[in-house]
């Protein structure tokens, strides 16, 4: 009987311990929860704080939207010895760094843990602009939150105008942000399925807001090299781009043009790297068809040229060149087709080019490229 009582007492203690441990389990806010509610949630700081450092603002943010990297910032600030012990050796869980200016902070979790960046700017009206960037390795969701800190009432007010202005170029891409430790350029990246290349749009601090600038691509140098190898030197640089899903496979193609719309180029990303589809010039213009791209125009007096490129799963699967020459003296029309450098019959050419289908009415949304 005594042994039974001891056993029951042990089980009761164990159960109590499990409950106590469960009560101590930290409930972190998810990225989804933060994204759904941060725009409507003001955050108060102590009334005597009128010139907060980035660490103080992260602490206030973490009290409302508690996250693992935010906890690491608080721990390093409040208990640096415990933080150092926790993050020493191969079992370290986080890296926290604040720059000397006190306006940038990063808290990077080890392995698959989330990370945080935060940055402040002083606005021309005396307020502070506060940006928070949260992410996880290979995650499809990130947090990009922005606030205006009013020194008169020590309150962080969501700056939804800037957040709403950070819109993706496509409906299929996911976005991420890189805040600068130094300087005033914020990079907003868009990761597009099927592309190893990333669109990076620059936003520059103008004293009150982040002002949108141009966009560039990782791999853009390779695109230009392909263009020059296939077409030759460009008279002018490409200054704008549009993303159009030509073959409706969920991965958009890239359309580049010069400012005067004289020269252009189309690229697809089916193999993860840019592939030149075809090009335009002042005489030969492009049309987007149901299953590919057609560029056509005059090739001289009495001559006409067309290039038909069939796409499938964002890859070039066929490329047909068409030439026609009208002989005024004999009133004869000479028509030739070729696949690359290899001539093919008119019948085979007509059959291949018919696969492109009808031209589509496309009104691309053009964006500026960085120069």
């Amino acid at each position: 009987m005594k042994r039974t009582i001891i056993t029951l007492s042990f089980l009761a203690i164990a159960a109590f311990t499990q409950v106590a441990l469960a009560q101590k389990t930290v409930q972190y806010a998810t990225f989804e929860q933060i994204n759904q509610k941060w725009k409507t949630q003001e955050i108060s700081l102590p009334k005597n704080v009128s010139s907060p450092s980035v660490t103080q603002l992260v602490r206030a943010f973490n009290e409302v939207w508690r996250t693992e990297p935010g906890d690491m910032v608080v721990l390093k600030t409040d208990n640096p010895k415990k933080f150092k012990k926790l993050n020493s050796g191969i079992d370290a869980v986080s890296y926290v760094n604040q720059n000397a200016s006190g306006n940038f902070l990063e808290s990077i979790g080890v392995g698959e843990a989330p990370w945080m960046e935060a940055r402040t700017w002083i606005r021309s009206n005396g307020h502070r602009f506060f940006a928070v960037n949260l992410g996880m390795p290979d995650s499809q969701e990130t947090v990009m939150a922005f606030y205006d800190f009013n020194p008169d009432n020590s309150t962080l007010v969501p700056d939804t105008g800037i957040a709403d202005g950070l819109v993706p170029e496509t409906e299929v891409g996911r976005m991420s942000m890189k805040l600068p430790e130094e300087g005033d350029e914020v990079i907003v990246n868009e990761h597009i399925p099927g592309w190893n290349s990333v669109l990076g749009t620059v936003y520059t601090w103008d004293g009150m807001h982040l002002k949108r600038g141009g966009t560039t691509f990782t791999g853009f140098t390779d695109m230009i090299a392909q263009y020059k190898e296939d077409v030759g030197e460009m008279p002018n640089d490409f200054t704008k781009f549009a993303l159009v899903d030509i073959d409706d496979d969920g991965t958009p193609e890239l359309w580049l043009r010069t400012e005067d719309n004289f020269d252009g180029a189309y690229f697809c990303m089916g193999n993860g790297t840019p592939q030149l589809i075809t090009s335009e010039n002042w005489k030969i213009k492009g049309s987007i068809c149901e299953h590919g791209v057609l560029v056509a125009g005059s090739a001289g007096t009495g001559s006409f040229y067309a290039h038909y490129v069939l796409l499938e799963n964002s890859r070039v699967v066929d490329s047909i060149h068409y030439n026609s020459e009208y002989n005024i003296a004999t009133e004869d029309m000479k028509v030739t087709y070729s696949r690359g450098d290899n001539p093919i019959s008119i019948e085979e050419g007509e059959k291949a080019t018919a696969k492109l289908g009808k031209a589509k009415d496309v009104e691309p949304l053009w964006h500026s490229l960085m120069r």
Side-chain angles (χ1 to χ4, degrees):
M1 186 66 165
K2 187 175 182 181
R3 182 175 181 179
T4 302
I5 293 173
I6 292 172
T7 302
L8 290 173
S9 298
F10 175 78
L11 291 173
I13 292 171
F16 175 80
T17 302
Q18 289 178 349
V19 170
L21 289 173
Q23 290 175 342
K24 291 182 179 180
T25 300
V26 176
Q27 294 297 318
Y28 289 125
T30 65
F31 289 179
E32 182 180 6
Q33 290 170 336
I34 300 173
N35 279 324
Q36 286 178 350
K37 297 181 179 180
W38 77 264
K39 292 182 181 181
T40 60
Q41 177 72 58
E42 293 187 1
I43 300 175
S44 297
L45 275 75
K47 296 300 181 183
N48 62 341
V49 177
S50 59
S51 301
S53 67
V54 67
T55 302
Q56 289 174 299
L57 293 175
V58 167
R59 178 191 291 273
F61 179 87
N62 198 60
E63 288 176 358
V64 177
W65 307 114
R66 191 172 181 183
T67 64
E68 189 176 343
D71 270 4
M72 289 295 103
V73 173
V74 173
L75 178 62
K76 185 176 182 180
T77 304
D78 292 350
N79 197 336
K81 289 184 178 179
K82 184 176 180 180
F83 177 84
K84 184 176 181 180
K85 182 178 180 180
L86 186 65
N87 288 282
S88 61
I90 61 174
D91 295 325
V93 297
S94 183
Y95 166 79
V96 176
N97 172 60
Q98 178 181 306
N99 69 353
S101 302
N103 61 1
F104 174 83
L105 180 149
E106 58 185 345
S107 178
I108 304 172
V110 175
E112 298 301 313
W115 49 261
M116 169 189 283
E117 291 180 333
R119 174 69 196 261
T120 63
W121 284 267
I122 298 177
R123 283 183 147 149
S124 55
N125 63 356
H127 289 209
R128 269 174 167 74
F129 178 71
F130 176 52
V132 179
N133 184 27
L134 284 160
M136 288 188 70
D138 301 323
S139 173
Q140 295 299 307
E141 188 170 19
T142 60
V143 173
M144 295 182 287
F146 308 93
Y147 295 88
D148 177 83
F149 176 78
N150 188 341
D152 296 333
N153 57 17
S154 300
T155 302
L156 282 168
V157 178
D159 193 329
T160 58
I162 288 181
D164 294 340
L166 301 179
V167 295
E169 307 288 358
T170 71
E171 297 179 356
V172 296
R174 66 178 178 88
M175 298 179 72
S176 67
M177 182 169 66
K178 178 61 182 171
L179 296 173
E181 182 172 354
E182 303 293 341
D184 293 321
E185 289 188 347
V186 175
I187 306 296
V188 177
N189 291 313
E190 185 174 354
H191 310 259
I192 302 176
W195 288 36
N196 286 339
S197 299
V198 173
L199 286 76
T201 300
V202 175
Y203 291 78
T204 304
W205 181 250
D206 67 358
M208 279 295 292
H209 303 94
L210 291 172
K211 184 178 180 181
R212 182 173 180 144
T215 299
T216 188
F217 301 83
T218 57
F220 186 68
T221 302
D222 294 336
M223 297 182 200
I224 298 303
Q226 283 189 51
Y227 178 91
K228 290 181 177 179
E229 182 179 349
D230 188 76
V231 182
E233 291 294 324
M234 294 179 293
N236 296 294
D237 292 335
F238 293 125
T239 62
K240 55 187 176 181
F241 74 95
L243 296 171
V244 183
D245 189 358
I246 296 173
D247 55 352
D248 296 320
D249 67 341
T251 299
E253 279 66 51
L254 173 66
W255 188 357
L256 299 172
R257 269 194 170 173
T258 53
E259 192 64 31
D260 56 15
N261 292 317
F262 280 179
D263 295 274
Y266 300 82
F267 288 87
C268 58
M269 303 286 179
N271 59 357
T273 56
Q275 179 184 6
L276 181 64
I277 300 171
T278 189
S279 60
E280 305 173 297
N281 59 45
W282 66 280
K283 292 191 298 184
I284 300 170
K285 293 301 178 186
S287 297
I288 293 175
C289 302
E290 292 173 319
H291 304 291
V293 179
L294 162 65
V295 293
S298 173
T301 304
S303 300
F304 187 82
Y305 167 82
H307 185 200
Y308 299 80
V309 186
L310 185 68
L311 297 177
E312 189 175 301
N313 294 324
S314 296
R315 292 177 171 85
V316 173
V317 294
D318 204 359
S319 175
I320 303 295
H321 296 275
Y322 165 91
N323 284 279
S324 65
E325 294 183 19
Y326 179 72
N327 190 317
I328 298 176
T330 63
E331 296 186 350
D332 290 332
M333 178 73 75
K334 181 182 178 182
V335 174
T336 60
Y337 284 92
S338 63
R339 181 176 280 119
D341 296 327
N342 302 314
I344 58 176
S345 67
I346 293 177
E347 182 182 3
E348 185 179 355
E350 291 177 344
K351 184 177 179 180
T353 56
K355 293 181 180 179
L356 262 73
K358 298 179 181 179
K360 296 192 292 187
D361 186 15
V362 177
E363 296 183 3
L365 180 61
W366 294 101
H367 301 282
S368 296
L369 275 169
M370 288 181 62
R371 302 188 67 177

